Amino acid sequence: MKFLEYKAKEIFARYRIPVPQGVVAASPADILDPPLPCMVKAQVLVGGRGKAGGIKAAESLDEARTVAGQILGMDIHGFRVKQVYLEERLDIGQELYLGVTIDRSAREPLLMASAMGGIDIEAVPHDRIYMEHIPTVVGIQPYLVRSLLKQLALPKEVGDQIASIVGHVYDLFRKEDAELVEINPLVVTKAGGVVAGDAKLVIDDNAEYRHPEYANLDQDRTPLEQEAHDKGITFIQLDGDIGVIANGAGLTMATLDILGLKGGRGGTFLDLGGTDDPGKVKQAFEILIEAAPSVILLNIFGGITKADTVALGVKQALEEMHTKIPVVARIKGVNEAQAKEMLRSIGMYPAETVEEAAELAVKVKSGGP
Amino acid sequence: MKFLEYKAKEIFARYRIPVPQGVVAASPADILDPPLPCMVKAQVLVGGRGKAGGIKAAESLDEARTVAGQILGMDIHGFRVKQVYLEERLDIGQELYLGVTIDRSAREPLLMASAMGGIDIEAVPHDRIYMEHIPTVVGIQPYLVRSLLKQLALPKEVGDQIASIVGHVYDLFRKEDAELVEINPLVVTKAGGVVAGDAKLVIDDNAEYRHPEYANLDQDRTPLEQEAHDKGITFIQLDGDIGVIANGAGLTMATLDILGLKGGRGGTFLDLGGTDDPGKVKQAFEILIEAAPSVILLNIFGGITKADTVALGVKQALEEMHTKIPVVARIKGVNEAQAKEMLRSIGMYPAETVEEAAELAVKVKSGGP
Amino acid sequence: MAVLLSKKSRVLVQGITGHQGQFHTRAMLDFGTKVVAGVTPGKGGTKVEGVPVFDGVREAVHRRRANASIIFVPAAYAKDAAIEAIEAGLKLVVIITERIPFHDCLEVMPLARSRGCVVIGPNCPGLASPGQAKMGIMPNQLFKEGDAGVISRSGTLTYEIVNAMTEAGFGQTTCIGIGGDPIIGTSMVDALAMFQKDRKTKRIVVVGEIGGTAEEEAADFIERRVTKPVVAYVAGRTAPPGKRMGHAGAIIQGNRGTAESKVKAFEAAGVPVAEYPVGIPRLLAAT
Amino acid sequence: MAVLLSKKSRVLVQGITGHQGQFHTRAMLDFGTKVVAGVTPGKGGTKVEGVPVFDGVREAVHRRRANASIIFVPAAYAKDAAIEAIEAGLKLVVIITERIPFHDCLEVMPLARSRGCVVIGPNCPGLASPGQAKMGIMPNQLFKEGDAGVISRSGTLTYEIVNAMTEAGFGQTTCIGIGGDPIIGTSMVDALAMFQKDRKTKRIVVVGEIGGTAEEEAADFIERRVTKPVVAYVAGRTAPPGKRMGHAGAIIQGNRGTAESKVKAFEAAGVPVAEYPVGIPRLLAAT
């Protein structure tokens, strides 16, 4: 789950991470009493909004409304701006970077910091980034903060504030099941205060059940992806035209790759997961058909599942939906021969292997075979 | 640090462990509005007060005062009762035992429980005690509580309350640096509530600095032991008559043992620790002399320390204190010969080995050599 | 022989009374696995496929001398189940459950390491050692005894590859599905080290996918420490950057974790990478 | 040779600028120990006894390739220091500091185990391997190279015994002061296992004391696993029950942990127990 800046800052504030004053608005008329002078910031789940013109200064209420009106409705890298956040303007002395994320290799959280904040962390030279693992067993310890402050060469007054912020950020990271907590820039004001200039927060989707309060937040999904998500189906829209559906993420990726090698382009990534439930198969096909592919490529490696049962499920789903989209299917499992026969009988194109199925899909799409 | 029941229960309540209503009193006149009917309980840092007559029932305010008057001032296993705790009487359905302590061998906390509460846990048959280690890395987990409730064969309503109490007890154990948190009995009332009938709490002395609020609590020390403790000296009064002082707990114990083998009986355990500081040596001797031994047995294995320096320190300390108590000393370290000479010159009895020193001490005590 | 589990392994199934637990207990028994006990709190005293069920792991270990556990319990209870197994002294725990919050695994894995317990998964198809035993959900008929060790982050894709191997005559010592989650108990490198050490394993197949840097680390390890021939397949060559592909693992960030980066790393380490999953047997034939 | 440390060990001193740190750095250097770095936050860039001081352990490890650390920092900071050492990848950490709250050790020890790091102590005199190196506070002149491994919960009492051994001609491979606290990193059993494995060690001396059940467990382990001759001394035979004797360890509870119980356990395991500390050499002479 991703969070818009203002929402992330609400959560930051709960964890006593200092954030500037601010108000959120969905239209200029909503803006009544913004902190002035302020920054008007587009609320979108994508980076680079500043360069795209999504952040502007305002001195007065009138100007704030005018600027908000310009930003609201903008398209930033494919995302429409539905809300703006009007935030007190900071008297910036220094911009730092602070983040906690997960390091798969070390299987531990990673604490990151840099004195070169305000820019994309990937653009900061490696030796200018402080990175240390946080031992989960014991959490943040004083030595971590000491080495961080030393590397960033910060004065003591600022150091104490950052020490406390690091503790709160890690606390939030653990308690909110975060994948990423990022403050960039972490602003040191000219007066010597330390405040989160921006806030990026990503929470583990698998932990959604522990945080029902975040269940209905807007995510960076297409409407169809959202629909699939709500039905518990793993579905991603891609820019090709062949609808790929398979069971298992790895196999679905491999099917897309094979299709690519055979000259086709996948238009969907649809992971059917367990194939036992005919209702789930039907739901998946509904999503797939809504995505309007020129041809559907179905690849099921059942192993334990009976191939003919799956074939029957697919047949029923497609018949009920009265679709004319051709389907190339490769279903592996017990009773493959019967399954193949059944698919052929209802006008589908059965294939023996994925490679064959991919070739067939490309041909069918081009009007063949 | 040990805690009186009422004090432990105050802390329990902070951790949301249910405790009965109660008031503490140091004299019958202090008792104004006790919960009635009540139990009047002697507050002493020693077990077995019930059998010793330190717990009595009272129905009315008058009776409570009368009973309190009887209990206050009692001597229970060598401890004078200075306070009583008047506590609401519980309608006892079942008495359980619940405790968390530390298991040195496993290097983990140990969760203990039994359906045979209300009696000394050491008297409960081993197979009637639930014991499981708590993995510190993750803390109390549901499986621990499930297995505990199963072994104690408790009904679900009670189980839920105990599950929550177990969590709170462990929380207290960790956050208060406890060595032992014990509830015996943990009372299941006839109405089905679960309440701590008694409360035993021991906190790690080494963690005193993290809990300054407990610094001035009465402990089970003799006045001289308390004085030594306040000065940071490890000192224990024993029932013999030879004052033993050595450096290091192990060596002091071994010195006492050797004395025993030579027919003497140690009257003190005094661990001098580091021997560098003459002021500390003097303080230790002051305590020792207050304990009025018939003879002092000093055993120092310096290794690095200069033996003559220690001897000088001892000499000065004793001279300043004008004591007539004979001293047998064995000091090992650099310049041993000079040290021996110095001790002899001021009328002390130097010895080469601990064995020799112990023999000498026994002889000196009996009027020799 | 095989790595991690053998005919002698005495397997416990946590969550045995659930649909998946029950189904795969049958399949594991059919594979020849010694499934000696099951655990489902509150269902102690019953039986599933002839296997006695207990209320807790400690009891199952005590009564049936189980020494390895496979976990099928729902995600919300999986952490508790894994800790219960580790604390009962089991030295091998396979977690099949998917969608476990990775913060739970951040706690479980260090505990397991501190106790000397090997965890496989979570979100994995488990382990299969043909001719020995299976602790997992892989279809039984795919496997054939042989000398290839298989390591994979994926489920069905592995079945596809193992199936192709078996059809081409390349049997397996053990197939380890390490799982696709961000925090897993046994990494690709850990599994490589096991196969390198195992005398029966003569060649190794690695099935990777986009996301993370496990394949890059594996390539590095292979270069430095693995003397046995290794071949690989990497899924996700056509996946667009920044999109999640089901496995929490499959997120591409910058130019780390891309299929290109992984393929390049493998090839630099002398590991041939198959274009198609079914290309693995052809590469094995050349080892 | 010796267990745990050797001439090649590159030792870091945490808390090197303190009184104790400085004093014992000198003594360790005199013993022949390669003390390569010190750490005191805020004192980086200075030198103590010619040893360069750094602000943090990671830096000291990076710059001076330290691979073992000895900790002298005050109790309130010892947990942080130990974790810093473990997280910097050191595989041996000796904690001399006394009076560390044991709840801190409850956190440090599992972390160390999960990282494969051996911790000695806390509240211990450390390690000495005559002819090799010393990480501890034991007086240098006590030791003599030889074939006896010494394990002790005590400080000065150990000096007494090692001194008697050396005078009687029984040299030592390594002397391990495991410490007297409730939670220690290396138990008596762990140390016994090390000496049993060490080829140079031919005989073992165990110095125990009342409190806890370490000696009883050691006796059990000796009976089952130790083939080398072991002799023992147990302090506290005359200690009254229920009194604490300085070491947090020395509390007698019921009839567990008494000197009688320990002596009985050792004797039942075929371990002769000396009446006097100086009796140890006589017992060794009979091995």
Side-chain angles (χ1 to χ4, degrees), chain B residues 104-105 107 178 236 247 257 330, chain D residues 103 156 160 185 217 236 244:
Chain B
R104 291 142 174 262
S105 310
R107 297 169 243 195
I236 297 162
N247 62 328
D257 292 349
R330 180 263 189 161
Chain D
H103 278 267
T156 41
E160 184 89 50
E217 284 146 29
R244 284 173 196 233

Side-chain angles (χ1 to χ4, degrees), chain D residues 234-251:
Chain D
V234 177
R237 291 181 190 224
T238 55
K243 288 275 187 175
R244 284 173 196 233
M245 293 278 172
H247 281 190
I251 311 168

Side-chain angles (χ1 to χ4, degrees), chain A residues 172-252:
Chain A
L172 189 163
F173 177 78
R174 291 283 293 142
K175 291 200 182 133
E176 299 293 330
D177 283 294
E179 274 176 39
L180 175 68
V181 186
E182 198 177 67
I183 309 179
N184 189 21
L186 178 63
V187 171
V188 183
T189 65
K190 287 196 179 126
V194 182
V195 188
D198 196 359
K200 199 164 171 187
L201 175 62
V202 183
I203 285 181
D204 181 7
D205 287 336
N206 288 347
E208 220 178 282
Y209 74 92
R210 292 204 277 234
H211 307 281
E213 68 276 25
Y214 306 141
N216 297 315
L217 295 178
D218 246 10
Q219 293 301 309
D220 55 347
R221 300 188 183 103
T222 66
L224 203 52
E225 285 174 352
Q226 188 61 48
E227 188 187 331
H229 176 82
D230 295 342
K231 289 177 175 163
I233 294 167
T234 307
F235 169 79
I236 298 163
Q237 275 184 302
L238 305 172
D239 50 9
D241 58 341
I242 298 177
V244 170
I245 176 169
N247 62 328
L251 188 63
T252 313

Side-chain angles (χ1 to χ4, degrees), chain A residues 105 107 178 236 247 257 303 330, chain C residues 103 156 160 185 217 236 238 244:
Chain A
S105 309
R107 296 168 243 196
I236 298 163
N247 62 328
D257 291 350
R330 180 263 189 161
Chain C
H103 278 266
T156 41
E160 184 89 49
E217 285 146 29
T238 54
R244 284 174 195 230

Side-chain angles (χ1 to χ4, degrees), chain A residues 47-87:
Chain A
R49 62 187 170 160
K51 282 189 190 153
I55 301 179
K56 286 190 172 130
E59 304 296 328
S60 64
L61 175 60
D62 275 358
E63 194 182 2
R65 284 181 173 162
T66 309
V67 168
Q70 289 160 0
I71 293 175
L72 282 161
M74 271 179 73
D75 182 291
I76 298 184
H77 306 305
F79 290 82
R80 209 176 67 80
V81 180
K82 295 178 196 157
Q83 288 166 306
V84 287
Y85 191 49
L86 297 94
E87 197 176 59

Side-chain angles (χ1 to χ4, degrees), chain C residues 54-191:
Chain C
F54 299 91
D55 286 319
V57 175
R58 179 83 72 193
E59 205 186 335
V61 168
H62 178 66
R63 299 275 295 280
R64 303 287 299 159
R65 287 175 297 117
N67 56 21
S69 179
I70 178 165
I71 294 177
F72 288 103
V73 308
Y77 309 103
K79 171 182 155 187
D80 182 45
I83 295 172
E84 186 179 4
I86 294 163
E87 290 294 298
L90 300 181
K91 295 302 174 200
L92 174 63
V93 174
V94 177
I95 310 175
I96 301 300
T97 311
E98 57 180 11
R99 298 190 63 81
I100 300 176
F102 75 82
H103 278 266
D104 287 358
C105 295
L106 279 178
E107 296 181 45
V108 169
M109 301 313 172
L111 179 71
R113 276 197 296 281
S114 78
R115 301 285 196 235
C117 169
V118 173
V119 174
I120 306 287
N123 186 17
C124 78
L127 299 170
S129 296
Q132 297 286 337
K134 186 180 86 163
M135 285 177 76
I137 59 172
M138 297 147 166
N140 288 0
Q141 74 278 11
L142 300 181
F143 296 94
K144 173 186 149 85
E145 255 184 277
D147 63 8
V150 180
I151 304 166
S152 173
R153 281 171 71 183
S154 168
T156 41
L157 175 56
T158 316
Y159 309 165
E160 184 89 49
I161 288 172
V162 170
N163 183 60
M165 285 171 65
T166 295
E167 281 181 357
F170 293 99
Q172 305 88 36
T173 50
T174 300
C175 179
I176 310 180
I178 61 171
D181 272 8
I183 303 296
I184 52 175
T186 298
S187 70
M188 215 171 251
V189 166
D190 295 337

